[in-house]
Amino acid sequence: MSESESNVNAAGTLPPPGKPSRWVPIGFDRLAAKELRETLRDRRTIVTLFLMPLLVYPILSLLFQGFFASGLQTTSIATA
């Protein structure tokens, strides 16, 4: 399939030059809104998407910072 054939719209015509072809199924925006509502309605999803990163990432950064700081202290004591 050539590039010009892939840009043919449902009516069988090419889009005007300089304009990208944009094919969106009818009702796609309603379907996307429905899926978003259903996703945000689920409490586990909200916890996983928002609360866990807000809690886990700072705790992990503190743990790694402490781990690397303790590694640097033992290295500097051993070389002194």
Side-chain angles (χ1 to χ4, degrees):
M1 180 184 292
S2 70
E3 184 178 337
S4 62
E5 290 173 355
S6 65
N7 288 334
V8 175
N9 61 16
T13 61
L14 290 171
K19 284 192 157 188
S21 64
R22 183 173 173 238
W23 183 82
V24 178
I26 297 172
F28 180 77
D29 52 347
R30 280 193 308 161
L31 177 64
K34 175 182 167 273
E35 290 295 328
L36 183 62
R37 270 194 314 273
E38 288 178 2
T39 300
L40 292 178
R41 193 177 299 149
D42 187 17
R43 288 185 186 144
R44 285 180 293 177
T45 303
I46 292 173
V47 168
T48 304
L49 288 176
F50 300 111
L51 295 180
M52 289 297 286
L54 288 174
L55 296 173
V56 171
Y57 292 154
I59 291 171
L60 282 176
S61 67
L62 291 173
L63 289 173
F64 279 120
Q65 186 179 17
F67 175 73
F68 288 124
S70 68
L72 290 175
Q73 287 175 352
T74 58
T75 307
S76 63
I77 293 171
T79 59

